Amino acid sequence: MSAAAEGRPPAAAAAAAGEMVREATAWCALHGLVVGDRADPRSGTVPGVGLVHAPFSLLPTHLPESHWRQACELAPIFNELVDRVSLDGDFLQDSLSKTKQVDDFTSRLLEIHRKMMEINKEENIRLGLHRSDYMLDSETNSLLQIELNTISASFPGLGSLVSELHRTLIDQYGHLFCLDSKRVPGNEASSQFAKALARAWNEFNVDSAVIMMIVQPEERNMYDQYWLAKHLKESYPFMLFLSSTCPLTIHYTWHNDYQENFVRDGKTVSVVYFRAGYTPNDYPSEAEWAARLLLEQSSAVKCPSISYHLVGTKKIQQELARPKVLERFLENKEEITKIRKCFAGLWSLDDEEIVKSAIQKPELFVLKPQREGGGNNIYGIDVRETLIRLQKEGGDALAAYILMQRIFPKASLSNLVRGGVCHEALTISELGIYGAYLRNNDKVVMNEQSGYLMRTKVSSSDEGGVAAGFAVLDSLYLTDKAM
Amino acid sequence: MSAAAEGRPPAAAAAAAGEMVREATAWCALHGLVVGDRADPRSGTVPGVGLVHAPFSLLPTHLPESHWRQACELAPIFNELVDRVSLDGDFLQDSLSKTKQVDDFTSRLLEIHRKMMEINKEENIRLGLHRSDYMLDSETNSLLQIELNTISASFPGLGSLVSELHRTLIDQYGHLFCLDSKRVPGNEASSQFAKALARAWNEFNVDSAVIMMIVQPEERNMYDQYWLAKHLKESYPFMLFLSSTCPLTIHYTWHNDYQENFVRDGKTVSVVYFRAGYTPNDYPSEAEWAARLLLEQSSAVKCPSISYHLVGTKKIQQELARPKVLERFLENKEEITKIRKCFAGLWSLDDEEIVKSAIQKPELFVLKPQREGGGNNIYGIDVRETLIRLQKEGGDALAAYILMQRIFPKASLSNLVRGGVCHEALTISELGIYGAYLRNNDKVVMNEQSGYLMRTKVSSSDEGGVAAGFAVLDSLYLTDKAM
């Protein structure tokens, strides 16, 4: 394959890069591929001010088509798996019993979950909007799962736009790089998520009911959410859409009829879509926990329910990776094999052998705390030091973490554009596959792969997250060969 | 008619206003209704950074349908008039001969024009993208022309979006205000302008030729221009589109073949579209004047040509308003009557009677300098003082100005949104009607009304211009009754 096709632009292409960057950032401004600029103190609370283009990769990241297909095939299987696991309340409680001792956040979630078990709360309509994140391990040339997000999976809106941006740029400049825009897969993540929310509303079957999106009071990524709202409003005009700006301290009136409906502003809420509530910061007082409980008790479809939320924890990810656990939830052996193939090594810290290995060769492991939100993973020499400290502390201290095999994706040169400036950097990429699942009792209404998100970050940085400023939004370019 | 229909919202509507403002500003961010924020020093030069929603009116301004029709009907007549006047070089030179003495900018334009007359330069393909601005005079209930812009008519891109924003808001909230989105006229200004540019390219008839847009090096309104570029690129992909960021000091190679083509980066330029060059600031050195002359000499279609540019001066506007002048250029009496009906009183300052009247009753006049760019008009008591000073100075000092009847539009309450904040204010509005005209020798290829722009400003302010911060972009709402 030519150098150009591998992303190293020839001279003509390099000369066009400056013009491309201007074209691309202008495209972002015209097409709503924007975020709040942290330099503007109002940009997270007032829409339309302090806008800046979302950071992006100038060209899409190459991915072998076989791995793309593999990731897409996994989406409906993971969707189904989440649903099955969510129904096994005892499994969730047991698996997380030690985590509960050391992590207050998980403990509070489990408490709500336990209360629902006590009243035999049934969720007949179950909606999941997930994102399963993968990296391509260069040692084994295999796609390995990093994590499965079952709450507030972000960037369905902006991610779709990046694919469109890349197609547009390739249509205009692709000949310089020997690229063909048809090799960038279509990405309808936000309209797919909107469709799933609308179908859940439909299953709820109350014409006057509304969908409520719960958001954080300050959110620089609000346009990702507004894109979803736009798709909902345009395609499903029969639904009023409420965006609660005051996150979990929602102003509610409790309509205590036999259906236990959740009512807001006089409207029954059919679906509660959480774009908040996934981090302890979203619960600054007891009021937010009370609201979360109230919502869970209501008849509204929760996306996610407390069970779905718990299935997405790292501890459950690790439990599912243990021998014979998948078999408890799935029958189809082919599906089990597919799922297991993408599991990286995952271990609980009560496995003394593996802790010993990790202290000896910390560079081969990642130490992951049970808390959510990213930015807390421990790498390299810190793995050793932390493990030794935790062992000394004794008791349940070790239960706050899990160990994961460290994945070594192949680094490649990318042009990252941020704040209107383009930087060439050695980067690694993470592929997220969105999945939408909707079930009403025995009827599976929807079980689909629903678009994707590529995130690319500077490889010398160990921490991810576009919001943290180390990573950019990206899309993908399908290639025939292995990377 | 109800209070609601007149734009005074009832209580429910007032309560919804806060939500509407957030919806509207978010819509702007998603749909590219943005400008560069003056608070960000890079916002005028680097696309995609320092963005803020364009200031806008929350709801469209009411306009009687009869006046709307009148303004639309005038567009093709003015298009034709500009073309006819442009062909009468002596008329332009004579009319502006005194202005030349006192205004260096007009003098330089006239010099280029004279040179073109000397070499009998013929412009067979003539493209005009104009905007005729009107106000509705409340004293006479008549639509009166403020000015006719024949160069760099701004906001075809953002103006179209405001109409779309208002339709969207009315679809969502219109029931609260008794409004119907179908009463907001469709507005395709930017795609219409793109079509006209593409057709001019087509008439030029060189497949490999490009269109060149000349812009200012710093332009916070760049997204208005990018919208036009987007429409061009999407609908007419056969054309390469160059946006010169270094305005009139263009880097050119002079291709001195028999056609006297203007060539840039190896490509023949078929159409030069000026979004710069209308103010003396765009000519900081002789290099820019040399470039303007070079372009004028070339075979490229200039939008506008030097003649079209001069037809748009205030002095020519005033000359056309003199008795029997219109008859020199138009034959159709009905059309002449229509044009004359929209002319406000316009006088040269060599009319001693009118100068005397203006000194006595300055509140009935506006004193307009011959310079372009807005922001220099003189109102109220300053009219008297300036006239007295100019009379004392004697000589040609008076020739630098024209007098215009002051128009008194009816003020009404509007909600103006700027920087995410909504202010209720007593406002007046100015209606701009875009016109596109394309001619190739005897063949009129295009002569159309091409969308509109409403601008609304706080009535206590005497100066206009969205860029100056006193005005907002707006659209219009057709009513049956007179205002």
Side-chain angles (χ1 to χ4, degrees), chain A residues 22-23 25-26 29-32 34 37 40 42 45-53 172 223 226-227 230 233-234 245 419-421, chain B residues 22-23 25-26 29-32 34 37 40 42 45-53 172 223 226-227 230 233-234 245 419-421:
Chain A
R22 290 182 68 88
E23 285 285 324
T25 53
L30 260 51
H31 295 83
V34 293
D37 188 344
D40 187 320
R42 296 196 306 151
T45 51
V46 182
V49 308
L51 304 166
V52 63
H53 73 83
Q172 201 173 343
Y223 306 102
Y226 276 116
W227 272 111
K230 172 190 153 77
K233 275 187 244 168
E234 283 184 357
T245 51
V421 181
Chain B
R22 290 182 68 88
E23 285 285 325
T25 53
L30 260 51
H31 295 83
V34 293
D37 188 344
D40 187 321
R42 297 196 306 151
T45 50
V46 182
V49 308
L51 304 166
V52 63
H53 73 83
Q172 201 173 343
Y223 306 102
Y226 276 116
W227 272 111
K230 172 190 152 78
K233 275 188 245 168
E234 283 183 358
T245 51
V421 181

Side-chain angles (χ1 to χ4, degrees), chain A residues 36-289:
Chain A
D37 188 344
R38 61 179 68 230
D40 187 320
R42 296 196 306 151
S43 69
T45 51
V46 182
V49 308
L51 304 166
V52 63
H53 73 83
F56 61 90
S57 169
L58 193 57
L59 286 170
T61 290
H62 288 207
L63 183 77
E65 190 160 2
S66 55
H67 286 117
W68 162 247
R69 290 216 182 113
Q70 182 192 350
C72 291
E73 276 178 17
L74 285 169
I77 312 177
F78 271 116
N79 287 345
E80 187 65 42
L81 178 64
V82 169
D83 191 65
R84 301 275 179 96
V85 175
S86 79
L87 297 176
D88 192 339
D90 290 329
F91 172 76
L92 292 173
Q93 288 285 340
D94 292 348
S95 302
L96 293 163
S97 60
K98 275 199 176 174
T99 312
K100 182 167 69 174
Q101 315 287 327
V102 288
D103 183 55
D104 188 52
F105 183 60
T106 307
S107 169
R108 297 302 299 259
L109 295 175
L110 276 172
E111 193 183 320
I112 294 173
H113 181 257
R114 186 184 49 76
K115 283 182 181 160
M116 294 306 105
M117 285 180 77
E118 281 168 9
I119 61 169
N120 287 316
K121 180 76 164 72
E122 283 191 2
E123 301 291 341
N124 291 325
I125 308 172
R126 302 193 291 277
L127 173 64
L129 296 175
H130 313 309
R131 196 188 68 225
S132 181
D133 292 334
Y134 305 92
M135 277 190 171
L136 195 51
D137 185 49
S138 60
E139 312 270 311
T140 57
N141 191 33
S142 59
L143 196 74
L144 297 179
Q145 188 182 46
I146 305 298
E147 64 179 345
L148 177 62
N149 303 279
T150 57
I151 182 168
S152 296
S154 59
F155 295 118
L158 299 192
S160 314
L161 289 172
V162 177
S163 304
E164 210 183 315
L165 166 65
H166 282 158
R167 285 179 161 200
T168 304
L169 288 174
I170 290 174
D171 280 339
Q172 201 173 343
Y173 299 97
H175 59 286
L176 298 172
F177 304 91
C178 305
L179 295 176
D180 172 6
S181 65
K182 285 193 283 293
R183 306 290 293 168
V184 178
N187 192 357
E188 306 288 333
S190 59
S191 57
Q192 291 275 86
F193 270 25
K195 185 176 76 174
L197 287 162
R199 287 206 181 162
W201 174 91
N202 193 55
E203 293 296 323
F204 192 82
N205 205 19
V206 173
D207 279 357
S208 62
V210 300
I211 293 177
M212 183 170 75
M213 190 195 287
I214 298 184
V215 300
Q216 294 179 337
E218 186 164 356
E219 174 67 272
R220 294 194 307 109
N221 192 28
M222 68 173 93
Y223 306 102
D224 184 51
Q225 299 164 355
Y226 276 116
W227 272 111
L228 206 58
K230 172 190 153 77
H231 285 297
L232 263 177
K233 275 187 244 168
E234 283 184 357
S235 304
Y236 314 98
F238 46 88
M239 294 186 301
L240 178 64
F241 192 89
L242 290 179
S243 176
S244 164
T245 51
C246 181
L248 287 172
T249 55
I250 35 183
H251 307 289
Y252 51 79
T253 51
W254 181 242
H255 191 102
N256 193 18
D257 62 17
Y258 72 100
Q259 274 194 303
E260 294 180 318
N261 280 335
F262 181 77
V263 176
R264 181 169 165 192
D265 295 344
K267 300 269 186 190
T268 297
V269 174
S270 58
V271 184
V272 179
Y273 173 48
F274 285 91
R275 287 297 293 263
Y278 56 88
T279 156
N281 301 335
D282 289 338
Y283 304 81
S285 74
E286 284 302 311
E288 289 79 16
W289 284 112

Side-chain angles (χ1 to χ4, degrees), chain B residues 213-285:
Chain B
M213 190 195 289
I214 298 184
V215 300
Q216 294 179 336
E218 186 164 356
E219 174 66 272
R220 295 194 306 109
N221 192 28
M222 68 173 92
Y223 306 102
D224 185 50
Q225 298 165 355
Y226 276 116
W227 272 111
L228 205 58
K230 172 190 152 78
H231 285 296
L232 263 178
K233 275 188 245 168
E234 283 183 358
S235 304
Y236 314 98
F238 46 87
M239 293 186 301
L240 178 64
F241 192 89
L242 290 179
S243 176
S244 164
T245 51
C246 180
L248 287 172
T249 55
I250 35 184
H251 307 288
Y252 52 80
T253 51
W254 182 242
H255 191 102
N256 193 18
D257 62 16
Y258 72 101
Q259 274 194 303
E260 295 180 318
N261 280 335
F262 181 77
V263 175
R264 182 170 163 189
D265 295 344
K267 300 268 185 190
T268 298
V269 174
S270 58
V271 184
V272 179
Y273 173 49
F274 285 92
R275 287 298 292 263
Y278 56 88
T279 155
N281 302 335
D282 289 338
Y283 303 82
S285 75

Side-chain angles (χ1 to χ4, degrees), chain B residues 111-124:
Chain B
E111 193 183 319
I112 294 173
H113 180 256
R114 186 184 49 76
K115 283 181 180 160
M116 295 306 105
M117 285 179 76
E118 281 169 8
I119 61 169
N120 286 317
K121 180 77 165 71
E122 283 191 2
E123 301 291 340
N124 292 324

Side-chain angles (χ1 to χ4, degrees), chain A residues 303-353:
Chain A
C303 180
S305 66
I306 196 77
S307 305
Y308 269 42
H309 187 169
L310 289 170
V311 176
T313 57
K314 289 162 193 159
K315 179 63 186 171
I316 296 297
Q317 181 189 16
Q318 176 254 304
E319 283 293 318
L320 290 172
R322 290 175 62 184
K324 293 187 185 158
V325 177
L326 278 179
E327 283 79 356
R328 285 177 60 179
F329 302 105
L330 299 173
E331 302 88 35
N332 187 315
K333 285 188 179 162
E334 213 176 298
E335 290 183 351
I336 291 171
T337 307
K338 281 181 182 172
I339 292 259
R340 192 157 278 144
K341 195 178 163 199
C342 82
F343 279 168
L346 284 156
W347 305 274
S348 159
L349 296 203
D350 50 19
D351 182 335
E352 285 180 20
E353 276 307 302

